[in-house]
Amino acid sequence: MAETRHSFCRICESLCGLEIDIDDAGEIEAIRPDAAHVETAGFACVKGLKQHRLYGSPDRLRHPMKRVGNRHERISWDQALAEIGAKVRALRGDRGPDSIGMYVGTAAGFSLLHPIFAQGFMNGIGSKSMYASSTQDCSNKFAVARQVYGFPFTQPFPDLDHVECLVIVGANPMVSKWSFLQVPNPGKRLREIEARGGRVFVVDPRRTETAKVAGTHVAIRPCTDVFFYLSFLQELIASGGVDERVVAEHTSGFEEIRALCAPWTPERTEPVTRIPAATLREMVRCHREADGAALYSSTGVNMGGNGALAFWIQEVINAVSGNLDREGGTLIGRGIIDFARFGARSGFGLRPDRSRIGGFASVNDAYPGGILADEILTPGPGQLRALFVTGGNPLITMAGAERLKEAFEDLELLVTLDILPNETGALAHYMLPATTPFERPDLPFAFPLLMGMQAHPYLQATRPVHTPDAEQRDEASLYVDLARACGTPLFGSRIAQRGLEWSMRWPGRDRRKAAPPSLPLEGLMSLVLRLTGHGSFRKLLREPHGRPLPPQRGGVFLGRKVPTPDGRVALAPPELLALAGERLETLFERERRDPSSLRLITRRHVKTHNSWTHNEESFVSGARETNHLYMHPEDAEAAGLRHGDLADVVSKGGALRIPVHLHEELQPGTVAIPHGWGHQHAPGLSVASRTTGVNVNVLAESGVDAVEPVSGMSRLTGIPVEVRPARGPQETTRWTGLPAPPVPDATPTAGPAEPAQSR
Ligand code: SF4
């Protein structure tokens, strides 16, 4: 071993500190958790510790590739940039700037500069046609925050150090960590709450890994979360749990909210949510009596079709109970800038545009992914004809894969920027090779850095710990060159474009012979640090385990800087009230009359993060080479299925065929399939394409009627399905819903202990 370097993982929000052994050839030999890290203190998961194997895959994109017929052929950077630039210029001139779109995937969000430069590229083109993975899993939170708190990135989070009653709804931190919030080792943190006498409730259709570690599991029928929240609020108000002073001084709209929740007593919602009224009252009592309480939710709520309404009521509960912006309740993080003020001045995240198809408001300056296929396939002014896909794989992660594939094949230009040739890349006219997180310098990404979403704030800088082996480039540099090639200066500023181009020629840049020059990334991040009074990047590197920042505290938001027009938390925004008026009674009646149909939830496997870690052999070997349909034994028996049988799963959106895995920890009436599978159409992924798992998202509907109107979210969980023994001609949706073989060693009994997964 030549040396050990320190860095941090950029796969999920935990940002675990890592120690990385580098051999004499400069290759990564081993990765360990950094025990001395100021926050993550020796915590990391298997994905983080084996990520170098993913990056070192022989399948890795190494050169720009151009599709010729059904194959991709290596071309030079000059050729790629010239041809892409010429096409963008032509489309922009003939069809207008909005004919050129971009989809920003989750991987982009874990880099500080990548999303900024991607947005800058689109600003330069003058196109509003932005799409993001957030409308698959979290846009409801941004849409609601904009209306309730005045800024989409104002996202309160539980004060885990002091909370005495924590209610977790549709989230599984043990596997997925805390979405948005940087906090490692979730099991330890949850057990600490109980050790100091606090209560934890886990509301979920499945007894998740989180529910097994701490707290009381409260089983709920999928997609009835909004009625749980309404009854919680109704009972809170009825039992005197409202902080009258906070409501009077810092909020508006309480009377409308009181009227809204009044009909939703725990007894009324019990038959639909399946949560006994007595259980709900006990939860409210604990919440009311706690000296600091918080409700927290994630994808199970977000993705269920009513995420905006549910999250809204959750935030109302946190506010009217007096727990918003106080120790032990929910806190507003302080990033290295006043992000809300920046947003108000720049308009960032507040674009007022509406989509051509469906008239959806943009959320965080992006339109719903659920209408992307329609925007491509529907003729007329503004029809999408070109798409850049940056750090994502929408063909696997979005609803309606078949129609999306048809749409992508109809594009005149499809370009991917990625580290691997995934399904979307397989259809792309050009695949441009990007660097991995280990091949670029970085600071923590936007949520911790700009929004302050860290339980214990700190700063950390990392240099690259590995040198790309060919022509891969960091995305920020790539967007500068793409902007030049397209004749559309980055951020719409010729001065910025010239300055950035000039900086790429400055001595000391990436001088690999094969790759074009890169931006001085460390210098750019140093500028961010210096402008915010945090010294230089180089100075921060001298603290390889992180530099602690002042702790989070309450009392920084209410009455001080709530960015709504009247400086108060808006409990009853008109748009959300109207949506509630339109939907709640109809939805409730539909649920009440449909007590027995099966609902499909999605889940995450601890080794298969979203759609992109299936190309590492050790993550998908043996019994893990497919996903399964998890069923309660009672449901399986009723459907005539046994453990290991193949089942056909049919929804309004599509159909798939998949092996059954009996699982007693699901609430009867709920079935589950892990998402992110279905890689048989990515010939460039030599490992993932041999797995037999199916893409659960073929069961989800896309299009205008399937999109939640306030947030633009697709419904990707809680989908009504029929499940029956596989028979006859396969009903499987053709694309990425391929059949999987029976599970080896199938037995007719309940399955073995569940591997760690979450929805
Ligand atoms: S929990 Fe795992 S994937 Fe997430 S940052 Fe830590 S090591 Fe990486």
Side-chain angles (χ1 to χ4, degrees):
M1 183 188 72
E3 66 172 309
T4 297
R5 296 179 190 163
H6 291 93
S7 185
F8 55 91
C9 181
R10 279 151 278 173
I11 294 177
C12 85
E13 283 92 329
S14 289
L15 298 180
C16 297
L18 301 173
E19 277 185 357
I20 302 173
D21 293 342
I22 310 291
D23 68 15
D24 291 328
E27 296 302 317
I28 296 173
E29 210 170 56
I31 305 178
R32 292 179 301 282
D34 178 4
H37 192 272
V38 294
E39 173 60 359
T40 64
F43 180 81
C45 82
V46 62
K47 293 187 292 285
L49 301 180
K50 289 190 176 177
Q51 59 187 298
H52 56 304
R53 296 199 201 175
L54 278 164
Y55 307 151
S57 163
D59 300 335
R60 178 86 188 276
L61 282 171
R62 290 180 162 75
H63 310 281
M65 305 293 281
K66 176 181 180 178
R67 182 151 62 81
V68 180
N70 285 330
R71 300 189 50 218
H72 279 90
E73 294 179 358
R74 177 179 171 179
I75 58 173
S76 68
W77 272 112
D78 285 345
Q79 182 184 347
L81 291 168
E83 291 181 5
I84 293 167
K87 189 69 193 172
V88 168
R89 284 172 197 254
L91 281 172
R92 190 165 177 266
D94 295 346
R95 311 289 292 258
D98 287 337
S99 68
I100 300 146
M102 176 178 283
Y103 173 89
V104 183
T106 306
F110 284 93
S111 154
L112 182 64
L113 297 180
H114 180 169
I116 296 171
F117 279 72
Q119 181 65 61
F121 175 64
M122 293 298 283
N123 289 352
I125 287 176
S127 171
K128 300 185 292 294
S129 301
M130 286 291 281
Y131 300 83
S133 53
S134 57
T135 50
Q136 278 107 266
D137 60 11
C138 62
S139 276
N140 60 315
K141 290 189 170 183
F142 296 119
V144 167
R146 180 173 177 175
Q147 299 197 28
V148 171
Y149 301 123
F151 187 55
F153 294 96
T154 298
Q155 295 287 338
F157 55 86
D159 177 6
L160 296 174
D161 285 345
H162 304 100
V163 68
E164 288 191 357
C165 177
L166 178 63
V167 181
I168 299 172
V169 189
N172 188 6
M174 283 302 294
V175 172
S176 302
K177 311 302 175 290
W178 302 85
S179 61
F180 288 13
L181 180 62
Q182 198 275 323
V183 49
N185 206 342
K188 177 168 173 280
R189 304 305 298 271
L190 291 169
R191 283 189 289 262
E192 283 170 355
I193 295 171
E194 292 197 308
R196 61 175 185 258
R199 292 289 304 269
V200 176
F201 296 95
V202 180
V203 182
D204 203 286
R206 182 170 71 92
R207 187 166 168 264
T208 60
E209 293 73 15
T210 301
K212 290 177 196 165
V213 161
T216 304
H217 176 222
V218 179
I220 186 170
R221 172 98 162 136
C223 294
T224 63
D225 319 89
V226 66
F227 300 111
F228 159 73
Y229 282 118
L230 283 163
S231 284
F232 198 108
L233 181 57
Q234 191 275 340
E235 173 65 14
L236 187 80
I237 294 173
S239 60
V242 169
D243 186 322
E244 306 284 355
R245 184 193 62 80
V246 166
V247 167
E249 291 181 11
H250 299 298
T251 72
S252 62
F254 179 70
E255 287 312 316
E256 289 96 319
I257 281 293
R258 187 205 297 270
L260 176 75
C261 71
W264 302 104
T265 62
E267 283 74 16
R268 185 181 177 204
T269 57
E270 176 179 334
V272 162
T273 62
R274 314 274 167 89
I275 298 176
T279 302
L280 194 141
R281 288 210 160 87
E282 169 65 5
M283 294 171 76
V284 174
R285 186 190 62 76
C286 288
H287 179 279
R288 210 180 53 233
E289 293 177 358
D291 184 12
L295 277 72
Y296 165 84
S297 59
S298 189
T299 52
V301 172
N302 301 347
M303 294 160 58
N306 289 291
L309 291 176
F311 182 66
W312 167 41
I313 303 300
Q314 172 188 291
E315 294 305 284
V316 168
I317 294 168
N318 284 330
V320 303
S321 60
N323 284 295
L324 171 62
D325 188 29
R326 64 151 285 188
E327 185 177 285
T330 55
L331 302 174
I332 310 292
R334 286 168 301 157
I336 63 170
I337 61 170
D338 186 337
F339 203 20
R341 181 186 287 184
F342 170 78
R345 285 186 178 165
S346 65
F348 178 82
L350 301 169
R351 231 175 54 194
D353 318 300
R354 292 201 169 258
S355 62
R356 181 177 73 108
I357 304 293
F360 294 100
S362 69
V363 176
N364 284 0
D365 302 344
Y367 294 137
I371 57 161
L372 179 55
D374 294 317
E375 290 280 11
I376 295 169
L377 293 171
T378 309
Q383 180 186 6
L384 268 185
R385 300 312 301 144
L387 187 70
F388 289 81
V389 175
T390 197
N393 188 8
L395 277 177
I396 290 289
T397 58
M398 282 174 49
E402 284 211 354
R403 184 158 160 76
L404 201 58
K405 176 175 177 275
E406 181 192 339
F408 283 2
E409 287 173 335
D410 191 60
L411 285 167
E412 293 177 42
L413 177 67
L414 176 61
V415 180
T416 61
L417 284 70
D418 215 302
I419 61 172
L420 289 165
N422 60 26
E423 286 76 4
T424 307
L427 298 182
H429 298 97
Y430 299 90
M431 293 191 286
L432 304 181
T435 47
T436 71
F438 281 169
E439 292 164 350
R440 64 172 190 252
D442 234 333
L443 296 169
F445 67 110
F447 280 25
L449 195 76
L450 305 180
M451 295 159 68
M453 297 206 64
Q454 294 176 293
H456 302 142
Y458 68 91
L459 274 176
Q460 186 172 9
T462 178
R463 284 206 158 127
V465 295
H466 184 253
T467 303
D469 60 0
E471 294 185 273
Q472 301 94 334
R473 306 186 65 196
D474 73 276
E475 292 88 348
S477 304
L478 189 39
Y479 279 116
V480 176
D481 274 350
L482 278 170
R484 179 177 47 78
C486 297
T488 51
L490 218 62
F491 306 107
S493 162
R494 293 201 181 281
I495 294 172
Q497 178 72 30
R498 280 205 200 107
L500 290 163
E501 284 180 27
W502 177 81
S503 73
M504 288 166 80
R505 295 193 295 273
W506 191 254
R509 301 287 73 78
D510 185 343
R511 289 294 176 217
R512 281 175 294 142
K513 277 190 185 148
S518 69
L519 288 166
L521 300 175
E522 284 189 24
L524 290 173
M525 287 185 276
S526 221
L527 192 63
V528 173
L529 291 171
R530 283 186 189 282
L531 287 173
T532 55
H534 291 86
S536 69
F537 190 89
R538 190 175 293 228
K539 202 168 169 194
L540 190 54
L541 284 170
R542 286 186 217 134
E543 296 169 89
H545 311 291
R547 177 197 296 165
L549 295 175
Q552 304 282 11
R553 57 187 173 84
V556 300
F557 184 63
L558 296 177
R560 292 172 186 262
K561 54 174 193 175
V562 180
T564 52
D566 63 0
R568 290 166 173 260
V569 173
L571 299 176
E575 193 179 1
L576 289 167
L577 270 184
L579 184 65
E582 271 167 37
R583 283 203 166 189
L584 287 178
E585 290 294 345
T586 314
L587 178 67
F588 186 76
E589 201 50 31
R590 198 165 65 221
E591 293 287 345
R592 200 178 63 76
R593 289 185 182 174
D594 178 27
S596 57
S597 74
L598 290 176
R599 293 293 167 82
L600 173 79
I601 60 173
T602 55
R603 304 168 60 181
R604 179 183 282 176
H605 191 291
V606 75
K607 288 187 174 175
T608 48
H609 189 75
N610 296 343
S611 69
W612 69 280
T613 54
H614 301 73
N615 207 45
E616 161 51 29
E617 194 81 51
S618 66
F619 290 173
V620 293
S621 55
R624 293 183 185 276
E625 66 93 35
T626 182
N627 53 355
H628 296 89
L629 172 71
Y630 295 93
M631 290 189 89
H632 191 277
E634 287 174 17
D635 291 330
E637 189 180 354
L641 286 160
R642 298 178 306 169
H643 184 75
D645 285 352
L646 274 179
D648 281 336
V649 184
V650 183
S651 73
K652 272 173 76 179
L656 54 79
R657 186 164 286 182
I658 186 170
V660 171
H661 187 118
L662 299 188
H663 186 46
E664 288 180 332
E665 287 161 355
L666 279 164
Q667 188 192 42
T670 303
V671 296
I673 299 178
H675 70 100
W677 292 79
H679 293 286
Q680 298 83 9
H681 291 261
L685 302 179
S686 60
V687 176
S689 62
R690 284 187 279 112
T691 59
T692 54
V694 294
N695 178 6
V696 66
N697 288 338
V698 301
L699 299 173
E701 294 177 82
S702 65
V704 170
D705 294 338
V707 170
E708 197 275 314
V710 171
S711 65
M713 291 280 293
S714 294
R715 180 175 183 173
L716 295 176
T717 196
I719 297 168
V721 291
E722 280 181 45
V723 177
R724 51 189 179 239
R727 63 173 179 265
Q730 190 184 328
E731 292 180 62
T732 299
T733 306
R734 281 174 294 114
W735 206 76
T736 63
L738 293 176
V743 178
D745 303 318
T747 69
T749 58
E754 181 68 359
Q757 301 197 16
S758 76
R759 62 178 175 163

